[in-house]
Amino acid sequence: MLGVLKVATTDQIQRIAAPHQSFRHTTKKTPSEQKTARTAAHAGALSDLRKHGLAENGGTTKGAETLRNLTLKGLEAAAHELRRPLAEMGGPARGAGSSGAAHALSVNETVIALLRPKPDLTRLMSEPPEALAAARAVADAPAGIGSLASYATEVPLPATGTWNAPGRGGAQADIVLAARQDGVRLLFIEVDNCHESAEELADKLEKYARFFRRTVKDTDGKERAMWRTRWPALDADGKIPIVAVTLEELQEHGPAGRVFLRFGRTDMQTLTDAIGNPRREAADAREREADKARQAAYEAEQQRKAEQKAAEREAKRPACAECGARFPDDRWEAARDYPDPSTHWHPTLCEDCESHARAAALQAEQAERERREQAEAAADAEAARRAGGWLARFRTLPTRTALLPFRWSRRSMGGPPCLRAVTEGREPPAVWVDVGVRGGGGSRG
């Protein structure tokens, strides 16, 4: 909190950090007692920060409220929490309270009026009805702009020197607001307690202009406007729009109220309308629409070309020579890479027809093999029939009968030579087969 506001009262810290507390303790007798009760927790936290050397008391306001500010050690801790470089945090606000810190308090009130913290109604259900109604009115009002991290105070804008060591001739913005999410990309705010003359204000605006015109070499070696090296880039036409509002109207209506007057215009506007440029925005909108149309035409042309290419490719896609079905991509590629057919590969057929063709080929091979075997068996049978005689009968022996080599012998009683056949696996009775030798006693068996 104090890393952004630099110096603040406990009351201001509580109104930002715990806005629901503003609607508690309403039954206390006096506003002073109510303030003491609702800020007690934050006063205790600030006391702990003092014990650890992170914060210190920086004087008092004209209303006798204690001012709080961070030490250098506290600034380092705040820079870590805000994720900002320490060089962007500024220095400790020592001495700001020596004169009551009226300007610093007005800067804080401006931040609170723009931020418009919302109370958590779930933490106020036990409060009196009138307090709950007041809190609900604040919660239902238009939202503010950004979060606390969207704000920075007492920011140097060097026309000479560097960010860390600004030279003479530059300005120092009381508040810098950058909240893209709420339509405010970059806003420099000056808070005046009516202590500056018109000439002094004009001189301050000239310092702003000098800062905006300044260019420096960026990290990529290119020259850029110095302010663009720190804040998000946005369109700029070289002009500085000036918008005015009173703190009282800002506190009452917030940034969504039609209480802002842009120099050169006659109507009061909301903040986002006042800092905008309708003619430029209209031109930008027309350009965006033209860009969309060009992009749509380009995408349509690319789509047409893609569809035409796909159609031309489909026209070349081969079809199955049997059923006419179109080949899928993998089949097409395989047929292209291996165009020569074989027994198990048919590049002109789809997978189903190829399966049927292979099955038919296998059946044909089996049938041909069986036909040849039958033909061979018939030829053998015919040859045996024509040979006749004992050889034909010999061919008709059982398949398990083995013929041993001829063994000639004569029985003791005499007779023709004989061929003995022995059945495989056992010794059968002797069989004497007549082989046509005549003489002696004729054939015997």
Side-chain angles (χ1 to χ4, degrees):
M1 186 74 64
L2 289 175
V4 174
L5 300 182
K6 300 298 190 296
V7 59
T9 64
T10 308
D11 172 67
Q12 290 176 329
I13 294 172
Q14 173 265 307
R15 285 157 56 199
I16 295 175
H20 67 281
Q21 289 282 16
S22 298
F23 303 94
R24 284 182 171 174
H25 310 289
T26 56
T27 58
K28 298 291 183 181
K29 293 182 179 180
T30 65
S32 177
E33 290 178 347
Q34 293 173 10
K35 180 183 291 187
T36 301
R38 62 183 171 81
T39 61
H42 291 85
L46 289 166
S47 178
D48 289 340
L49 291 177
R50 286 183 60 197
K51 292 178 182 179
H52 291 86
L54 299 174
E56 60 187 3
N57 293 342
T60 58
T61 67
K62 292 182 179 180
E65 290 188 80
T66 301
L67 292 168
R68 317 288 183 140
N69 62 268
L70 295 179
T71 62
L72 181 57
K73 182 180 178 181
L75 276 177
E76 292 175 353
H80 177 75
E81 291 296 323
L82 293 170
R83 297 183 180 179
R84 294 179 183 174
L86 182 60
E88 295 183 10
M89 298 296 294
R94 291 190 175 96
S98 58
S99 60
H103 182 263
L105 296 181
S106 295
V107 169
N108 296 348
E109 291 299 330
T110 302
V111 172
I112 295 172
L114 288 167
L115 195 58
R116 296 180 78 78
K118 299 288 187 180
D120 183 356
L121 298 180
T122 61
R123 307 181 71 173
L124 297 171
M125 292 305 172
S126 61
E127 298 300 318
E130 58 274 13
L132 184 58
R136 182 172 285 109
V138 174
D140 294 340
I145 294 178
S147 64
L148 186 63
S150 304
Y151 295 80
T153 60
E154 305 299 329
V155 179
L157 308 176
T160 61
T162 64
W163 292 109
N164 298 338
R168 295 175 60 85
Q172 178 167 287
D174 291 330
I175 303 171
V176 176
L177 170 58
R180 275 189 174 189
Q181 70 275 20
D182 292 325
V184 180
R185 301 186 69 174
L186 185 61
L187 183 63
F188 298 93
I189 302 172
E190 286 293 322
V191 179
D192 178 30
N193 285 342
C194 298
H195 293 160
E196 295 178 312
S197 65
E199 292 76 13
E200 289 173 328
L201 292 176
D203 290 342
K204 184 173 288 187
L205 293 176
E206 176 56 32
K207 291 179 180 179
Y208 271 92
R210 192 179 302 127
F211 167 71
F212 289 134
R213 289 193 297 265
R214 183 181 179 185
T215 61
V216 295
K217 187 172 291 187
D218 206 350
T219 54
D220 59 1
K222 296 180 180 180
E223 289 286 331
R224 284 187 176 83
M226 187 175 187
W227 63 270
R228 287 183 180 272
T229 65
R230 182 164 178 176
W231 290 286
L234 70 162
D235 296 332
D237 53 11
K239 299 178 182 180
I240 305 175
I242 302 174
V243 179
V245 68
T246 66
L247 180 56
E248 291 77 10
E249 289 178 326
L250 179 60
Q251 289 175 322
E252 181 179 356
H253 302 285
R258 301 181 68 84
V259 293
F260 297 86
L261 178 64
R262 177 166 172 170
F263 287 15
R265 300 178 186 174
T266 58
D267 297 331
M268 307 299 283
Q269 298 175 293
T270 65
L271 177 59
T272 53
D273 289 340
I275 64 177
N277 188 333
R279 286 179 294 181
R280 183 181 181 85
E281 290 168 0
D284 291 343
R286 289 192 297 271
E287 183 61 27
R288 286 193 295 271
E289 290 301 321
D291 288 342
K292 288 182 181 179
R294 286 192 291 269
Q295 181 66 22
Y298 171 78
E299 292 176 356
E301 177 64 15
Q302 295 301 309
Q303 179 68 19
R304 185 193 66 78
K305 290 181 178 179
E307 291 175 354
Q308 180 180 355
K309 185 176 180 180
E312 292 173 353
R313 185 173 185 272
E314 285 302 312
K316 299 177 181 178
R317 184 183 295 274
C320 177
E322 183 69 24
C323 67
R326 294 285 184 179
F327 282 12
D329 289 344
D330 55 348
R331 185 75 177 180
W332 185 1
E333 293 176 3
R336 181 187 61 206
D337 296 340
Y338 305 98
D340 298 329
S342 65
T343 303
H344 300 291
W345 169 240
H346 301 269
T348 61
L349 300 180
C350 66
E351 290 187 3
D352 290 341
C353 292
E354 184 182 50
S355 298
H356 297 326
R358 284 202 299 264
L362 290 175
Q363 291 178 356
E365 290 177 2
Q366 179 67 21
E368 177 63 19
R369 186 164 51 252
E370 292 176 355
R371 186 193 65 78
R372 287 197 301 267
E373 291 175 354
Q374 291 175 0
E376 291 175 357
D380 291 345
E382 178 63 19
R385 185 186 65 79
R386 290 179 180 181
W390 70 269
L391 184 59
R393 294 194 302 272
F394 186 70
R395 282 177 176 269
T396 60
L397 289 174
T399 57
R400 291 178 58 84
T401 300
L403 297 180
L404 299 180
F406 285 105
R407 184 175 64 185
W408 295 95
S409 65
R410 292 185 182 274
R411 302 185 67 171
S412 58
M413 61 187 310
C418 298
L419 175 66
R420 185 182 183 189
V422 181
T423 302
E424 179 184 9
R426 66 181 183 273
E427 184 72 16
V431 178
W432 298 96
V433 179
D434 186 356
V435 293
V437 179
R438 299 297 180 182
S443 62
R444 298 188 183 199

